[in-house]
Amino acid sequence: MASLYNHYSDIRRVLQKVLVMFSIFTLCASLFYLLAGCCNSLPLDAVDSIAVKQSPQLFYKTYGKSFEKNVSNCTNGMLAPAPFITSLEGTSASESENNHPGKDWTAVRRLPQALILGVKKGGTRALLEFLRLHPDIRALGSEPHFFDRHYSRGMNWYRSMMPKALDGQIVMEKTPRYFVTAETPARIHSMSKDIKLIVVVRDPITRAISDYTQIISKTHNIPSFETLTFKNRTIGQIDSLWSPIWIGLYAQHLEKWLAYFPLSQIHFVHGERLISDPAGELGKVQDFLGLQRIITDKHFYFNKTKGFPCLKKPEGSSKPHCLGKTKGRTHPKIDTEVIKKLKDFYHPHNLKFYQMAGQDFGWQ
């Protein structure tokens, strides 16, 4: 009887060991699949953190294209470290260490070092999209309107809006309303006295018509451009307080900025040339920001249908990238007499702006 009892005890111990081993195996398998799943659903913050713990070139060399694919999947169309990935290809870890000794490879959120201030309907969206090609630029895609609308939320909120960036990368954002808002120069100066400011300017008459075209696309029953242009059309008195006209008084707005920043910290992008020669204008912006000229002619082609330059097909994309449908709208035909009145009105303002900016933009 005792022998039978011992036999059953041995069987029970074996079963217990099998059960323990099975539980350990199940736990290990679960952990493995959990970790494997995380690689495909890695949050953007984690990607930023992991990717830059060590030399990014070494990380990319080790993990290769699978990491690039995961980053693309993880970001869901948001601004991801794609420029970071681009900059790693063809670069060895030893080259990185030689070029950037002691560099901190941890991505953090920082306040911007450059701002696109304006002007509305001048080409700010195109400029931002083009600059995003540069691996040393990290740009916020949306317009935060911090210095003109949300200043009361504080700098910590503003910083939290910025994309993470590596040491040496330039963080920037664009809000076209900044250039014409009276309070913004002092507020930006209190954040950074050394910040670099970019203003895209365009013939103020063309800009005004483009502005009006956007207004009527969103609101119905708007009076004609000709009607809104004048306070009194009989005597030809221009309504300089009507927003589409007022924004084009560039000299008036620039005076407020020059009270806080030297002209050397402000770069003017020629809006018309940004369309006709995007690589040329981008080259000047890269010089202004102290960056290597990486964005060149090879990145652009002209879309005759839209009348705007587009970015050539990026690697991994099935088609080229053009600006949205709202860009390149057909402008309404404006009475030639009204155009002449506006040229006469803007002429002295333009000449003053040329003098202040140290550049003749050639608007007739």
Side-chain angles (χ1 to χ4, degrees), residues 126-127 130-132 269 274 277-288 293 295-296 300:
L127 178 63
F130 297 161
L131 284 174
R132 276 175 149 181
V269 175
L274 185 61
D277 180 22
E281 286 301 302
L282 265 292
K284 296 173 187 176
V285 175
Q286 291 170 92
D287 292 344
F288 173 68
R293 286 196 176 198
I295 307 169
T296 62
F300 301 98

Side-chain angles (χ1 to χ4, degrees), residues 16 24 83 121 131 146 162 166 182 188 283 300 348:
Q16 287 175 339
I24 293 173
K121 308 310 296 179
L131 284 174
F146 175 66
M162 296 300 117
L166 299 167
I188 292 172
F300 301 98

Side-chain angles (χ1 to χ4, degrees), residues 6-268:
N6 290 335
H7 179 68
Y8 282 123
S9 296
D10 291 338
I11 293 175
R12 186 170 60 186
R13 280 194 293 270
V14 169
L15 289 175
Q16 287 175 339
K17 288 180 180 180
V18 170
L19 182 60
V20 170
M21 291 177 66
F22 179 79
S23 299
I24 293 173
F25 173 81
T26 303
L27 180 60
C28 290
S30 300
L31 286 172
F32 173 81
Y33 283 110
L34 179 62
L35 290 172
C38 283
C39 291
N40 291 323
S41 59
L42 200 60
L44 183 56
D45 286 355
V47 170
D48 279 335
S49 178
I50 292 173
V52 295
K53 286 294 182 183
Q54 300 178 18
S55 163
Q57 283 78 7
L58 182 59
F59 183 92
Y60 187 80
K61 185 177 181 181
T62 304
Y63 293 96
K65 291 292 183 180
S66 61
F67 175 73
E68 182 176 347
K69 183 178 180 181
N70 284 337
V71 169
S72 176
N73 292 338
C74 289
T75 56
N76 293 323
M78 294 175 63
L79 183 61
F84 158 73
I85 295 295
T86 303
S87 68
L88 304 185
E89 297 185 63
T91 307
S92 68
S94 60
E95 287 173 333
S96 171
E97 290 165 4
N98 291 334
N99 294 334
H100 308 285
K103 193 163 186 176
D104 183 5
W105 293 109
T106 303
V108 295
R109 299 191 194 280
R110 298 194 305 265
L111 292 171
Q113 298 119 294
L115 294 172
I116 300 176
L117 302 174
V119 296
K120 180 184 179 186
K121 308 310 296 179
T124 58
R125 171 54 59 184
L127 178 63
L128 185 76
E129 292 300 318
F130 297 161
L131 284 174
R132 276 175 149 181
L133 291 174
H134 202 292
D136 288 330
I137 289 178
R138 296 285 283 147
L140 180 64
S142 59
E143 297 176 4
H145 284 278
F146 175 66
F147 293 103
D148 61 331
R149 296 179 186 172
H150 304 300
Y151 194 63
S152 61
R153 296 192 177 193
M155 288 294 172
N156 287 336
W157 177 84
Y158 187 45
R159 184 185 290 107
S160 73
M161 298 289 290
M162 296 300 117
K164 285 189 174 184
L166 299 167
D167 182 34
Q169 288 183 314
I170 293 176
V171 177
M172 66 188 308
E173 61 108 334
K174 75 109 176 171
T175 302
R177 194 73 187 173
Y178 289 165
F179 186 63
V180 299
T181 303
E183 298 82 9
T184 55
R187 290 173 175 177
I188 292 172
H189 187 265
S190 68
M191 177 189 75
S192 172
K193 297 177 178 61
D194 302 316
I195 195 166
K196 295 189 175 183
L197 308 171
I198 301 171
V199 186
V200 189
V201 288
R202 181 184 183 188
D203 183 327
I205 299 174
T206 310
R207 198 222 65 80
I209 296 171
S210 180
D211 200 347
Y212 174 77
T213 303
Q214 184 181 59
I215 292 171
I216 61 175
S217 72
K218 297 178 179 180
T219 309
H220 300 293
N221 302 320
I222 298 294
S224 69
F225 180 88
E226 291 86 346
T227 300
L228 295 171
T229 294
F230 295 97
K231 274 187 176 180
N232 188 325
R233 190 169 184 180
T234 304
I235 61 174
Q237 183 182 10
I238 302 292
D239 186 359
S240 61
L241 295 181
W242 182 41
S243 180
I245 302 295
W246 174 73
I247 290 174
L249 301 174
Y250 302 142
Q252 177 180 316
H253 304 306
L254 181 58
E255 281 181 336
K256 298 181 178 67
W257 291 93
L258 292 178
Y260 289 91
F261 297 96
L263 190 60
S264 60
Q265 282 178 232
I266 306 174
H267 178 75
F268 298 98

Side-chain angles (χ1 to χ4, degrees), residues 179 200-206 248-255 258 263 266 268-273 342-364:
F179 186 63
V200 189
V201 288
R202 181 184 183 188
D203 183 327
I205 299 174
T206 310
L249 301 174
Y250 302 142
Q252 177 180 316
H253 304 306
L254 181 58
E255 281 181 336
L258 292 178
L263 190 60
I266 306 174
F268 298 98
V269 175
H270 196 303
E272 286 79 13
R273 289 182 192 158
L342 283 172
K343 285 182 178 181
D344 294 340
F345 169 77
Y346 274 121
H347 183 67
H349 295 282
N350 289 343
L351 290 180
K352 184 178 180 181
F353 176 63
Y354 298 166
Q355 184 180 23
M356 294 172 70
Q359 184 176 347
D360 186 341
F361 291 89
W363 302 319
Q364 300 300 319

